Structure formats: C-alpha cells, structure tokens
Amino acid sequence: MNIYWLKLLALLATCFLPSVRAEYKRNCFNETCARWLMKDMNAVYWESATAYRQFADDVLSPEILMREKLRPFYPMMQLFDWKNFQDPLLRRQFEVLLRGDKYPAMNYEFKRATNTLKSMAKQKFVCNREKMNAFSGRRCSDMAFVHHIKSIITNSDDLEEIKWYWAEWRNRMPSQVKDALHYYISYYQNMSTPEMPASAIWYDQYEDSNFIQELEELMDAIQPFYREMHAHLQHALRVRYGDDIIPKSGLIPHHLMEQAMYQSWKKQSVLRNPFPQRKLPNVQQEMDELEWFPFDLVNISSRFFGSMGFENLTEDFIRDHFIEMEPSEGGPDCKSRIFTYGEIELNYCPKVYYKKLLQTHGDVTHIQYAILKNNYSVGLNQEAAPGFGNAMGEAVILSVSTPKHLQQQLGLLTNIDYDDVLNLNRLYRMAVHTILTIPMYFVHEKLWIDMIDNKISPEQYNCHYWNLMAKYMGVGPSTQTKEGAYDMPYKFYEGIVEQSRSTRKLFGEFLGYQIYRAICLEIGEFQRGNAYKVLNNCDFANNKEAGNMLKQMMSVGSTKSWRKTIKPLTVRKIERISATAFLEYFEPLNTWVTEDNVEKNLHVGWKYDDKCQQRSA
C-alpha cells in the first residue's frame, strides 16, 4: 500500500472518529471507553481552564468553576463500574472527579451568598465614631473592617475606642451577611444523608469524614504551649493597660486578643520580645539599600528552586506568566493572585518588603507545584488535598526565613550574630503570628462543623461560639452586643468559602512544619542535640536532596491520597498530621516562656461558664 492510500485512510479515520466515540459513549462502559470519556473531559477542562484564567471570576473559586464545566459528564461517568477498573489511575480519576457530582448545580443564590461572605470585611456599614458623635448618632456608613477598623484596633491605645468599634461592627452587620451564612449552612445540610452528614461532604477532599477529630487532637497537642503564651500575654496586657484589664476569670477580652494578633508584624507591639535590649535587625532597611524591585523577589524565589534541582524557569516563561499587579490591586495586604488551572500565571505584588519576600517564595512554590501536577489528566492534576500546596509553601518559607539563608544566600544581615538570645527574639515574633492564630482558625472550623451537622440550633450559634473561644483560646466577649447579633470576626465568614477555608489554614500550617522537619532531618541540616544543626535554622538552598523530596510530593498530584503522599516523611510511615514538628520548632521559646511565667509567679489557665446554659436560664 503506497503512501497516498495510507494518508487517505488516516483522513477517513479522523473524519469518522467523532461518530465512533459517540457510539462508545452510548453502548460501551469498559475501561477503553472510560479512557475515551476522560479524553473528552480533559479537552473540556483545559479549554475552560484557560478561559477562566483570561476571564477570572472574583466570586467563585476555580474549583467550583471547573466542577460546573464538567457537570454534564457526571451522569455518563456514573454508568461505569469504575470501582472495579483494573487500571488504578483510571479508578482514582473517576473517584476524584465524581466528588463533584454530590454538589447541586450552581445558581444565583449561591453566587450571591459567596460574594457577600467574601466581601463583608470590605463593606462599609459602621460610622466613624467622631462623626457619629458630631451628628448626634445620625446614620452614616463610611468605615469597613479591613481598611479602617482593623487599623484602629492595631494602632490605637484608646481601649474604649477599640471596644466601641469591636461592638459597633457586630451590632450593625447587615442582615444579608447572616442570610448568606444561613444559606451556606442549608446548602451543606441539604446534601447530607443519614449515612453521610454534612461534615463528611465538607471533608470529602480530605477523604476522612471525621477529620475534625484529627484537627482537635492537634489543638490538644499544642494546648500546653498555648496556655503558657496566654499567661504571658495576660501579663503583657496588664503591664500595658493596667491590672484591671483582665477579668478574674482570666479570659482575655476579644478586642485585646485581636490587637495582639494584628500587631505580630508591628514594631511597637503589646508583646515585647523576651530580650528587648537585643533588637532584631532591620531586614527591611537592608533590602531598601539593595534597591530591589518587585520582579527581583520573583527572580530570587525562582533561583531558590533552581538551586535545589528544579528545572529553571526560562526568561520567556517568567516574562509571559509572571505579571506585576497594579498598585490598586491585591488589597491592603498586597496579596498575589495565582492561576494554576490551565495556563499558569502569577500576578505578583508591586511592592518590596520582607514579608512579601517570604510570601513570594510561597507563591513560586505553588507555581512549581502546578507545573509538575499539571502533567496529569483532569482530576489527577488537583492538589493532594486543599491546602497541600500551602503546606509545601510554608516549608519553603521556613527555610528562606532562617538567618542562615538570609545571610549566606541573600547577603542580608551579614554583620549580625544570631546567638541564642537574638534567635529567641526571632522565634518569639514568629510564634506571636502563629500560636495565637491557629486556635482561632480551629474555633471557626469547629463552630462551622457543629452548625452544618445540626449539633446546635441557630439560637445557640453565638453562645456556642463563645464557649469554644473560652475553651480553646481563653478569650471572652469584649462587651455585650445586641440581642441576635453574631460576634464571630470576619475571618469566620471567609473561612467557609472554598478558597479561604479554615481547614486549608490548619492543614497547611501543621503539615508545613511536618514537611520542613522531615526534609531537614533527611538532608542532615537538623540533628537533635546538635547546637549547630537546630531545626529553626535549617535551609534547603543548594540541596538537591531537599529538592527531590519536594518534587516527589508535587509530582503525585491527586493520583494518591494526601495521607499516602506524606507517608515517606517519617521513619514510622505515619499517615497523619502531627503537631510534633511545630512544637519541636518552637521548643526553645516554649521552655523560656514556661520558665519566665514561673519566675513572674503568673497563673496559667482560665475559668469559664457555659454561655448557652446561662442563656437558657
């Protein structure tokens, strides 16, 4: 047969291919036909994902948008006996994709509720206190929480002012916020069955219907450290504001806890370093002297991965896929936007400061993760679990924030001697940012799970929130709000939206430290009992073995569960998140705080009563 006839046959095959594949779809449900179906879904996925990048929806997450695009395929997928497929990857692909079939089709109400919850911190519904006094309490709405009230709580020393704004924001919250919350609760409850509670759907991507129990065990593990920090904060608040600021119960008023959290990156914080006479070096000043531009942070982060053996990002790739945001974009925190569905893109912050240097390394971690997992077909190219990319980004940030990396790799702080005293101050600033916020995210998560599983009635939402805040955080209300008000902060409402779930925060934080410690042990940068190889000064730079461990986790995508993916991280092959690495990282600080509390004769702990029982009485 000559070449002419071969070409003709190939052309005819191409012409008839759609009808052949349509026949497969109608009458064939074996693994071969399943692969054809996956090819069709993959084509739709990539076409839609690229369109999403170009016309990004600021309300719905890419996960939800992609789920909607694939919805027409779900009925066909259900016809296959996929659980008995011989091909494990094909079986896994069906398993992952069919999670989306549990969710109802998208509608206007869902999009409206999502937009309300995501934007409520930016909504102006509180009046400026001075203006309100001047106009005898006349209605005005010119202050949002994120842009205005948060700044007041962070910087003001007027406790009456802080408390007033704390209560006013809750008392004047628009009814549509509460309506959106109730809509979301019903949304998950309507999907539940007696065999599958709403929380099982919430944790579907973690492949553990009782994942809240594992998170609670993490809280129990860090509770002794947190209680010592709580006693330390109590003392600091009394020194700053007077002995009467903390009630006899020991519960810290919520507005004061918020202030301590918001001041974690502020020089003049209510929480002073353990050794204030040894000031931490000014990294920002040295960065300014180097005259770095925003794009330099991207290049520095990319070179870090290249030093670990990752394939270097080409100049063309960086130019085409890394785009500097406009100054007005990104919000007050100048948050980057990362697109990893379809064509990859990073819209990075147009500012240069130390916190952004660290965050850019985390952003590029997500880019590297996307490059590797996007080699898989639709479904298999997802994260191992929501927040898995955040966990690897956290591990990278811990590495590049070490004195060793800053001095030896970036040429910063080269004249500074990081002895035990200065390093303790550094750990202290990091702990203020983490140990105080982790329990807050857990309280939000626990409250949400109890809501959707109908363990509490709507009348108990607020009192149950304060019971959880007292139990896990030793925090009480700042003042009494109006009847029917919900006292949860804006982070709670954001934490039930797909892209900013509290689950992601908790999962990524603990697993990040776990990944960091595992790599540090493997490459010999952390050796227990060796004062020159401590965990909190371990750096991955220039270490191909560290790069291989990260690449192995990134290359899995969702072909395996996240538990199987992290199994090689420990000698005992543990498939759970552990707080051990987190506690080991902060062990020097935990020891110091405990001893300092004893020396100052501070009482550790607090008392509280059941708010819901008080309400019913």
Side-chain angles (χ1 to χ4, degrees), residues 6 22 297 345 382 390 402 520 529 549-550 553-554 594 609:
L6 286 172
L297 304 189
E345 187 174 293
Q382 295 180 12
N390 292 349
T402 57
C520 293
M549 291 184 71
L550 284 171
M553 285 183 286
M554 291 179 177
T594 303
D609 299 317

Side-chain angles (χ1 to χ4, degrees), residues 105-162:
M106 199 51 50
N107 57 30
Y108 171 74
E109 286 77 15
F110 181 88
K111 189 167 184 176
R112 181 177 63 181
T114 304
N115 184 56
T116 298
L117 294 171
K118 286 183 69 173
S119 63
M120 58 95 67
K122 300 175 184 177
Q123 293 178 27
K124 296 179 180 179
F125 53 81
V126 174
C127 183
N128 180 290
R129 190 185 184 203
E130 295 179 3
K131 190 181 295 185
M132 190 170 184
N133 291 335
F135 291 98
S136 302
R138 242 187 308 164
R139 240 347 253 223
C140 64
S141 302
D142 57 0
M143 298 188 74
F145 193 92
V146 165
H147 295 287
H148 308 105
I149 298 172
K150 185 176 180 180
S151 177
I152 292 171
I153 294 175
T154 304
N155 300 306
S156 177
D157 285 330
D158 185 341
L159 297 189
E160 286 304 312
E161 178 186 39
I162 296 172

Side-chain angles (χ1 to χ4, degrees), residues 153-154 233 237 252 254-266 269-271 429 432-433 436-437:
I153 294 175
T154 304
L233 175 56
L237 289 168
I252 296 174
H254 191 241
H255 63 291
L256 296 181
M257 176 59 80
E258 280 194 324
Q259 184 180 67
M261 290 177 180
Y262 296 156
Q263 289 180 347
S264 60
W265 288 87
K266 192 172 181 284
S269 169
V270 66
L271 285 169
R429 296 321 314 172
V432 170
H433 178 66
L436 295 185
T437 57

